[in-house]
């Protein structure tokens, strides 16, 4: 049986030797390679594998033994069997040497071709077996390798299946995209959430579940991450299949990097954080709302304290038991009491002793019933004087209706009280004042009636006296009523003036002559006047006549003894000055201001009748003409009232200009 072709190396320095061997070993499955020296043999051994080497022992330069020992030293050729061919030495020594250097056999010349063939055949067979063994071993190794590879592939598939199972089992949406971002895989959770199956989602299909408003930002972040080859995290909305609602998800995208640092794929996960985000947003909204509410409350508190600081009232706060916990600064300014002293019940010590018990009782009742507290009482100021205040307190309740504290104000009502008192005084004064002339008129009429009843005629003198008294009383009555009427006009704003071009001298002369008769009748006073020929201006003469009348009649009324009255009228640049000077009772300095206020008088009614209205009305008339009225006086040393008027009202008086 022919096997594969094997190499056989024939080494002999003699060509006939090589030929002889060639002839013997000529077989198609033998490839005979010839070398005619030891060194040539070594070269062949380096290049090829040989089943056997047949080598002549005796060769010039390098003999067979030397060549064999070099072949045996080399790793590659160590195993090649060498058969020496020799003719000469058959003694043992020689043969041993051959075996020492690695010979496996000897062939002695002349050789028997059969022996050569069979010996070579044995080694060829051995070589072939060895080669077969080697091939089989290689085949086995190959089978082994393939099996291992199959197992590995199986394992890989298994782990991929497990990975996918795992990916399907997690409650997050997971997907994988190629390095260029084209989606290649989606887990089960994705499909359930979005209602898109894997085929629908692949490539760019998954964008259908992505809120359009969030895509731009998401892809911007991803592009950035692609450049930097790093992961990123963002929040975006995905449409939930079950209800079509867009739900906020936290998306994380991570690159899968190769050993070289290149991106192999992108892994994405998305978890539904909608509820958490809504709670966070709600919390943020509540926080903002709370912050705003606090700001508003603080603003309100600031506004309140600013308001409390400028309010003319006392503003206070008491606890549920009625103890004072706070009061604005007005209280301390007015009472001079420190905040420490006013706290609790300290404020009660400043109440008028006549009011305190009533206030405490009223407070107690308000506290007990939780009803508003309202009371007027007097509080002592730091100057030691009491003023009337009207206090009003209300309970502040919590959500359950329980009173937690009280807040209140106390308003200074002294001016109202004074006005009330004035009104009361005025009423009694007016009734008295009006009654006096009425009684007198009644008396004159009764006198006539009695005379008539008795059939007695009154003498002309008696009649004249009675009539004079009646007329005087009627005049007095009408004068008083005029005063009252003027007052009510001033109060209701109906005292309008109608200025026109007129001569003030004329009007003053008329006033003088109308009072002259009274002065002469009484006989105790002398009247003098200094007037220019003419003094024209733009005034309401009728109203100014009221002023001159009032000043003249006051000068007469308040000069009970003998004395002089002087009337002057003169120009002072753009103004005119009209004055009345008397030598009467005069006015104390402290009263000089207030007599121009309504119902203010510096005398007692039982001595001098009057309402205290005349100067008030005169002052209003002068003011309407843009003028001023002033008094210069000393108690017991007479008074001078002077009126300064601009010639053309509308222009300010010099007094005001210089002021
Ligand atoms: P009446 O004279 O009716 O009281 P008036 O308003 O005219 O009202 O005057 C107010 C007060 O001014 C008088 O009550 C008086 O006390 C004081 N008074 C006014 N004129 C004089 C004056 N010539 N001399 C002293 N006191 C005067």
């Amino acid at each position: 049986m022919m096997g594969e072709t094997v190499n056989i190396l024939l080494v002999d320095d003699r060509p006939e030797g090589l030929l002889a061997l060639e002839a013997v070993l000529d077989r198609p499955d033998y490839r005979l390679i010839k070398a005619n020296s030891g060194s040539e043999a070594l070269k062949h051994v380096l290049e090829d594998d040989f089943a056997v080497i047949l080598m002549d022992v005796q060769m010039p330069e390098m003999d067979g033994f030397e060549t064999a020992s070099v072949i045996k030293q080399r790793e590659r050729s160590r195993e090649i069997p060498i058969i020496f061919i020799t003719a000469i030495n058959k003694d043992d020594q020689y043969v041993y040497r051959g075996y020492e250097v690695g010979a496996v056999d000897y062939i002695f010349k002349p050789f028997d071709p059969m022996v050569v063939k069979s010996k070579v055949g044995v080694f060829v067979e051995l070589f072939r077996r060895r080669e077969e063994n080697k091939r089989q071993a290689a085949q086995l190794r190959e089978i082994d390798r393939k099996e291992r590879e199959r197992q590995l592939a199986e394992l890989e598939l298994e782990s991929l299946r497990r990975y996918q199972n795992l990916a399907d089992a997690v409650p997050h949406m997971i997907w994988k995209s190629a390095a260029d971002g084209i989606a290649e895989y989606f887990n089960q959770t994705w499909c359930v959430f979005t209602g898109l199956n894997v085929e629908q989602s692949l490539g760019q299909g998954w964008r259908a579940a992505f809120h359009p408003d969030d895509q731009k930002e998401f892809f911007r972040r991803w592009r950035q991450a692609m450049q930097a080859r790093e992961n990123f995290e963002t929040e975006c909305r995905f449409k939930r299949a079950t209800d079509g609602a867009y739900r906020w998800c936290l998306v994380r995208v991570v690159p899968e990097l190769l050993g070289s640092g290149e991106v192999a794929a992108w892994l994405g996960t998305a978890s539904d954080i909608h509820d958490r985000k809504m709670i966070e947003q709600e919390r943020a909204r509540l926080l903002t709302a709370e912050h705003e509410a606090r700001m508003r409350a603080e603003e309100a508190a600031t506004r309140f304290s600013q308001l409390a600081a400028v309010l003319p009232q006392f503003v206070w706060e008491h606890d549920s038991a009625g103890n004072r916990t706070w009061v604005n600064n007005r209280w301390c300014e007015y009472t001079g009491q420190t905040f420490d002293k006013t706290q609790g019940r300290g404020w009660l010590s400043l109440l008028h002793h006549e009011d305190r018990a009533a206030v405490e009782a009223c407070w107690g009742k308000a506290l007990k019933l939780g009803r508003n507290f309202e009371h007027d009482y007097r509080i002592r100021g730091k100057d030691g004087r009491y003023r009337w205040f009207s206090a009003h307190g209300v309970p502040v309740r919590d959500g359950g209706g329980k009173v937690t504290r009280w807040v209140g104000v106390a308003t200074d009502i002294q001016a109202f009280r004074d006005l009330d008192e004035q009104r009361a005084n005025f009423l009694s004064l007016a009734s008295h004042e009006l009654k006096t002339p009425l009684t007198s008129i009644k008396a004159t009429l009764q006198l006539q009636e009695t005379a008539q009843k008795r059939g007695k005629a009154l003498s002309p003198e008696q009649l004249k006296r009675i009539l004079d008294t009646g007329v005087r009383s009627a005049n007095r009555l009408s004068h008083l009523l005029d005063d009252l009427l003027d007052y009510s006009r001033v109060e209701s704003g109906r005292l309008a003036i109608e200025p026109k071009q007129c001569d003030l001298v004329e009007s003053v002369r008329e006033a003088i002559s109308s009072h002259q008769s009274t002065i002469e009748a009484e006989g105790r006073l002398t009247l003098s006047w200094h007037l220019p020929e003419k003094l024209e201006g733009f005034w309401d003469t009728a109203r100014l006549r009221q002023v001159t009348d009032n000043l003249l009649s006051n000068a007469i009324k308040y000069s009970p003894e003998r004395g002089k009255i002087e009337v002057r009228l003169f120009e002072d640049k753009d103004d005119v000055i009209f004055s009345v000077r008397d030598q009467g009772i005069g006015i104390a300095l402290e009263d000089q201001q207030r007599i121009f206020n309504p119902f203010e008088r510096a005398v007692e009614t039982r001595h001098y009748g009057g309402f205290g209205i005349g100067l008030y009305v005169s002052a209003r008339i002068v003011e309407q003409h843009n003028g001023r009225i002033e008094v210069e006086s000393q108690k017991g040393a007479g008074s001078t009232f002077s009126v300064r008027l601009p010639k053309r009202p509308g222009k300010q008086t010099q007094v005001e200009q210089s002021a």
Side-chain angles (χ1 to χ4, degrees):
M1 198 183 93
M2 298 248 275
E4 268 178 59
T5 307
V6 295
N7 295 333
I8 297 171
L9 184 61
L10 309 174
V11 190
D12 200 333
D13 59 317
R14 292 170 304 112
E16 60 274 22
L18 287 173
L19 270 174
L21 284 172
E22 235 182 333
V24 172
L25 295 172
D26 180 28
R27 275 176 59 151
D29 56 336
Y30 287 178
R31 190 157 76 94
L32 302 173
I33 293 165
K34 293 166 282 184
N36 42 31
S37 71
S39 56
E40 204 186 322
L42 287 176
K43 215 160 53 200
H44 284 297
V45 166
L46 273 181
E47 286 166 2
D48 271 315
D49 277 343
F50 294 92
V52 62
I53 300 170
L54 288 120
M55 185 150 51
D56 189 26
V57 175
Q58 273 148 339
M59 287 187 292
E61 293 163 34
M62 189 188 262
D63 69 10
F65 294 144
E66 276 175 86
T67 311
S69 78
V70 176
I71 289 171
K72 290 293 162 184
Q73 278 163 23
R74 291 186 182 158
E75 176 69 34
R76 182 186 164 120
S77 53
R78 181 176 292 157
E79 301 297 327
I80 307 173
I82 301 168
I83 301 172
F84 283 126
I85 300 166
T86 185
I88 311 158
N89 293 310
K90 279 189 191 166
D91 63 88
D92 287 351
Q93 225 25 53
Y94 190 83
V95 174
Y96 286 144
R97 183 143 179 249
Y99 287 127
E100 266 171 28
V101 295
V104 290
D105 212 343
Y106 275 90
I107 292 173
F108 298 101
K109 287 192 248 185
F111 52 70
D112 179 351
M114 281 311 288
V115 171
V116 173
K117 271 187 192 169
S118 74
K119 282 194 176 181
V120 167
V122 169
F123 287 111
V124 166
E125 186 56 27
L126 269 175
F127 176 78
R128 282 196 170 129
R129 290 246 175 94
R130 209 167 52 236
E131 285 299 298
E132 179 61 21
N133 279 349
K134 268 196 213 163
R135 206 169 44 246
Q136 279 179 353
Q139 264 175 1
L140 275 176
R141 274 202 305 278
E142 178 62 14
I143 289 167
D144 220 33
R145 190 184 61 78
K146 281 193 173 148
E147 175 59 15
R148 269 205 313 278
E149 268 178 8
R150 193 193 59 75
Q151 281 177 354
L152 266 176
E154 175 75 8
L155 265 173
E156 216 165 273
L157 204 69
E158 175 67 7
S159 81
L160 191 70
R161 221 177 288 131
R162 268 209 222 122
Y163 165 75
Q164 283 192 1
N165 286 343
L166 191 73
D168 283 343
V170 293
H172 306 287
M173 295 182 261
I174 297 177
W175 68 91
K176 188 176 167 186
S177 301
D180 57 3
I182 303 294
E184 326 175 305
Y185 163 80
F186 290 87
N187 73 342
Q188 192 60 24
T189 315
W190 165 272
C191 298
V192 172
F193 187 94
T194 61
L196 299 172
N197 61 32
V198 175
E199 285 70 44
Q200 288 169 324
S201 308
L202 289 177
Q204 300 289 339
W206 59 284
R207 288 206 197 192
F210 204 164
H211 196 294
D213 292 353
D214 301 342
Q215 297 199 12
K216 202 172 154 204
E217 173 64 8
F218 175 79
F219 287 109
R220 190 188 67 78
R221 296 287 309 275
W222 199 1
R223 267 197 305 281
Q224 250 179 18
M226 278 182 173
Q227 274 162 14
R229 294 178 195 167
E230 49 180 38
N231 48 348
F232 73 96
E233 203 176 275
T234 182
E235 287 176 6
C236 35
R237 282 161 291 178
F238 287 106
K239 195 177 194 168
R240 185 163 68 182
T242 48
D243 55 0
Y246 278 103
R247 308 269 302 170
W248 280 104
C249 294
L250 176 67
V251 176
R252 286 199 182 99
V253 179
V254 182
E256 201 180 297
L257 296 175
L258 294 171
S260 61
E262 287 300 303
V263 174
W266 293 91
L267 294 174
T269 64
S271 29
D272 188 336
I273 53 159
H274 194 82
D275 295 337
R276 199 183 76 201
K277 196 172 166 80
M278 288 302 108
I279 290 170
E280 272 169 14
Q281 277 179 358
E282 180 61 10
R283 192 183 298 145
R285 196 187 63 73
L286 285 175
L287 272 175
T288 321
E290 190 206 313
H291 176 74
E292 279 170 4
R294 205 172 39 238
M295 295 287 285
R296 273 201 301 277
E298 275 168 16
E299 256 174 47
T302 316
R303 261 207 304 275
F304 171 74
S305 50
Q306 284 167 346
L307 196 69
V310 298
L311 271 180
Q313 280 100 339
F314 303 145
V315 185
W316 45 260
E317 197 175 69
H318 290 181
D319 63 15
S320 56
N323 296 310
R324 179 163 288 183
T325 49
W326 177 83
V327 70
N328 66 346
N329 211 33
R330 279 280 175 261
W331 172 272
C332 304
E333 280 169 12
Y334 169 74
T335 60
Q337 193 178 43
T338 62
F339 181 69
D340 285 348
K341 286 263 163 58
T342 191
Q343 273 198 86
R345 306 237 146 199
W347 60 281
L348 286 164
S349 67
L350 294 180
L351 264 53
H352 196 286
H353 68 273
E354 284 171 14
D355 306 335
R356 185 164 169 167
V359 171
E360 279 182 292
C362 182
W363 234 133
K365 207 165 150 194
L367 286 172
K368 204 166 136 204
L369 302 174
R371 291 227 194 101
N372 289 4
F373 162 76
E374 267 164 40
H375 211 285
D376 292 355
Y377 47 85
R378 283 160 285 182
I379 302 172
R380 194 173 66 227
K382 60 180 167 211
D383 58 0
R385 291 222 290 260
Y386 285 92
R387 288 180 75 83
W388 278 97
F389 286 84
S390 178
H392 184 85
V394 290
V396 178
R397 296 172 196 278
D398 62 13
K402 196 167 151 257
V403 175
T404 53
R405 60 203 174 93
W406 291 78
V407 289
V409 289
T411 312
D412 187 333
I413 52 160
Q414 188 61 47
F416 297 113
R417 285 254 166 186
D418 289 349
L419 211 63
D420 270 359
E421 201 180 295
Q422 260 179 13
R423 288 216 171 99
N425 288 346
F426 170 71
L427 277 179
S428 77
L429 179 75
S431 37
H432 173 79
E433 279 294 288
L434 295 174
K435 211 166 168 184
T436 315
L438 259 181
T439 316
S440 157
I441 291 170
K442 212 166 133 190
T444 56
L445 293 175
Q446 273 170 351
L447 264 177
Q448 285 193 46
E449 195 189 22
T450 322
Q452 225 170 22
K453 271 186 193 158
R454 288 184 188 157
K456 266 196 190 169
L458 291 168
S459 69
E461 293 78 34
Q462 277 176 319
L463 199 62
K464 186 178 182 304
R465 234 186 10 258
I466 287 170
L467 279 176
D468 278 354
T469 313
V471 168
R472 262 207 313 281
S473 296
N475 281 342
R476 168 105 192 104
L477 201 59
S478 113
H479 188 70
L480 286 171
L481 289 173
D482 282 348
D483 269 4
L484 283 177
L485 217 60
D486 282 341
Y487 172 71
S488 85
R489 276 203 199 105
V490 172
E491 285 301 278
S492 60
R494 282 183 288 115
L495 189 99
I497 57 157
E498 285 169 19
K500 2 185 228 279
Q501 189 71 23
C502 59
D503 180 12
L504 192 57
V505 178
E506 207 175 294
S507 154
V508 171
R509 273 189 209 285
E510 278 171 22
I512 290 172
S513 63
S514 77
H515 286 86
Q516 212 172 3
S517 55
T518 326
I519 290 172
E520 279 165 5
E522 293 190 3
R524 58 194 160 90
L525 299 169
T526 54
L527 181 65
S528 63
W529 54 92
H530 307 274
L531 308 174
E533 275 299 299
K534 208 175 178 138
L535 228 176
E536 291 209 322
F538 203 67
W539 303 294
D540 185 329
T541 28
R543 291 279 171 232
L544 287 183
R545 174 69 196 274
Q546 256 178 284
V547 177
T548 46
D549 274 344
N550 178 241
L551 296 185
L552 272 168
S553 58
N554 276 354
I556 298 164
K557 181 159 71 173
Y558 299 110
S559 301
E561 312 286 328
R562 295 188 155 275
K564 281 201 295 189
I565 295 176
E566 260 176 58
V567 177
R568 284 172 186 274
L569 179 63
F570 56 92
E571 264 182 287
D572 183 20
K573 294 186 184 159
D574 288 340
D575 299 338
V576 295
I577 294 170
F578 167 74
S579 70
V580 180
R581 180 195 186 99
D582 64 55
Q583 295 177 325
I585 58 171
I587 305 159
L589 192 66
E590 65 266 26
D591 297 326
Q592 287 175 12
Q593 272 311 114
R594 69 175 181 89
I595 51 171
F596 293 97
N597 294 335
F599 313 120
E600 292 285 357
R601 311 195 70 221
V603 289
E604 283 191 39
T605 310
R606 60 195 158 96
H607 296 137
Y608 302 94
F611 288 153
I613 287 174
L615 282 181
Y616 170 66
V617 173
S618 298
R620 297 291 84 79
I621 292 171
V622 173
E623 265 171 26
Q624 295 263 43
H625 283 87
N626 280 342
R628 267 182 88 109
I629 183 163
E630 281 165 359
V631 63
E632 240 186 85
S633 181
Q634 250 187 339
K635 188 122 180 108
S639 317
T640 306
F641 283 85
S642 34
V643 173
R644 178 182 280 273
L645 290 172
K647 285 188 210 158
R648 298 194 74 82
K651 275 196 177 179
Q652 286 186 323
T653 63
Q654 285 177 354
V655 177
E656 279 167 342
Q657 274 169 357
S658 59

